[in-house]
Amino acid sequence: MGVEAVMLVVLLAVAVLLWAQQLRSGNAGWVDVFWSWGTGLTGMLYLLVGDGSALPRAVAGVLLLTWALRLGSHIFQRVRNDPEEDGRYAAMRQALGSRTQPVFFLFYLGQGLLAWVFSLPFSVIGDQQNAEPLLVITGLLIGMGAIFGESVADAQLKRFKARSDSRGKTCREGLWRYSRHPNYFFEWLHWCSYPLVATGAALFGFLWLLPIAMLAFLWFVTGIPYTEKQALKSRGDDYRKYQRTTSAFFPWRPRS
């Protein structure tokens, strides 16, 4: 059994354990920590055991480790400090009713599978024998810029929510003036960096499926739909006005 197959089994086993923990705690938010750290640790393992060129492995490792530590730690602090469950999962519980736990079980397994799928490109980079230095550096700059942008967006939203007058209002400050979901945009942009780093590897072209898949999940599945549904419930007309004036995803100047 190859290392990739072993890691699939490990990730699915951890997903089942976390689902059981969610049964007791009633908080499904920890699955997001699992996804980011699970993807990061698995991808780093592939890079470490690979025997490919040093440059793409090092650059991919720096990007992946920075991303996983920042995002996982950010979500960890949010879930640990917030007594209420993430609005997306609370909305799912309300909508699913008695079907919640069977669906959540499949959802947790799906998160384990996704962590495995999103770690596979690092197996490709780990064995990459030929590298295009200019594209590797370009990927590094895009990836680090995206991680920085997502960090700024998260910090701006956190500061806004900490204000006493923010309840029932929508953050329109900083990056949130130009996109309703700048954190999601920069998350997607970060995943665009790895196909550039992998240029020259066998089947590197398939790595472009990574940002396509991330965009699909953020736009249609686990990102924007549930986030906006919860925002409309908690902020009502203020968020409807925000929807009319602000780009949903790609940063753009606000409409009048």
Side-chain angles (χ1 to χ4, degrees):
M1 184 183 297
V3 64
E4 293 86 359
V6 171
M7 291 312 301
L8 175 60
V9 173
V10 170
L11 289 169
L12 293 178
V14 174
V16 172
L17 291 175
L18 285 174
W19 172 79
Q21 183 272 338
Q22 167 271 148
L23 279 174
R24 296 191 300 272
S25 68
N27 189 344
W30 293 105
V31 73
D32 294 328
V33 180
F34 160 66
W35 185 84
S36 55
W37 283 353
T39 302
L41 289 172
T42 306
M44 287 300 299
L45 175 64
Y46 295 154
L47 292 172
L48 290 172
V49 302
D51 59 357
S53 300
L55 179 62
R57 288 168 62 201
V59 167
V62 168
L63 284 173
L64 180 62
L65 189 61
T66 304
W67 167 82
L69 288 176
R70 193 215 71 84
L71 181 61
S73 298
H74 171 74
I75 300 172
F76 180 89
Q77 293 294 333
R78 186 183 68 196
V79 176
R80 186 183 67 173
N81 296 329
D82 193 342
E84 296 184 2
E85 186 178 41
D86 186 294
R88 292 173 299 152
Y89 300 122
M92 288 175 67
R93 289 182 191 275
Q94 185 177 10
L96 291 169
S98 61
R99 296 179 292 123
T100 295
Q101 291 310 322
V103 173
F104 268 30
F105 181 75
L106 295 176
F107 176 75
Y108 270 67
L109 288 178
Q111 291 298 298
L113 180 61
L114 281 176
W116 182 73
V117 169
F118 274 81
S119 70
L120 285 178
F122 302 99
S123 179
V124 174
I125 296 173
D127 293 331
Q128 180 177 351
Q129 299 299 325
N130 300 309
E132 298 289 342
L134 181 59
L135 292 178
V136 172
I137 299 304
T138 301
L140 174 64
L141 295 176
I142 290 174
M144 293 303 291
I147 294 170
F148 176 75
E150 187 174 3
S151 179
V152 169
D154 286 339
Q156 290 171 342
L157 183 61
K158 184 178 180 180
R159 283 197 301 269
F160 174 80
K161 288 184 174 181
R163 286 169 30 185
S164 59
D165 62 344
S166 66
R167 187 172 181 83
K169 296 181 180 179
T170 303
C171 179
R172 293 175 170 85
E173 300 174 357
L175 295 168
W176 299 86
R177 171 176 168 80
Y178 304 100
S179 170
R180 301 202 301 268
H181 304 280
N183 51 343
Y184 290 164
F185 166 76
F186 285 113
E187 175 67 17
W188 165 78
L189 184 62
H190 152 258
W191 288 101
C192 293
S193 64
Y194 298 111
L196 294 173
V197 174
T199 301
L203 304 177
F204 85 94
F206 285 98
L207 269 66
W208 284 107
L209 294 175
L210 199 66
I212 293 173
M214 178 57 69
L215 181 62
F217 275 104
L218 290 174
W219 202 299
F220 299 110
V221 186
T222 61
I224 292 176
Y226 275 103
T227 302
E228 300 233 322
K229 182 178 180 180
Q230 184 63 23
L232 288 169
K233 182 184 295 184
S234 61
R235 283 168 263 164
D237 289 339
D238 185 64
Y239 197 78
R240 291 186 183 91
K241 182 178 179 181
Y242 186 55
Q243 287 179 313
R244 291 194 297 270
T245 60
T246 310
S247 170
F249 187 76
F250 296 98
W252 195 250
R253 62 183 182 182
R255 295 182 292 273
S256 58

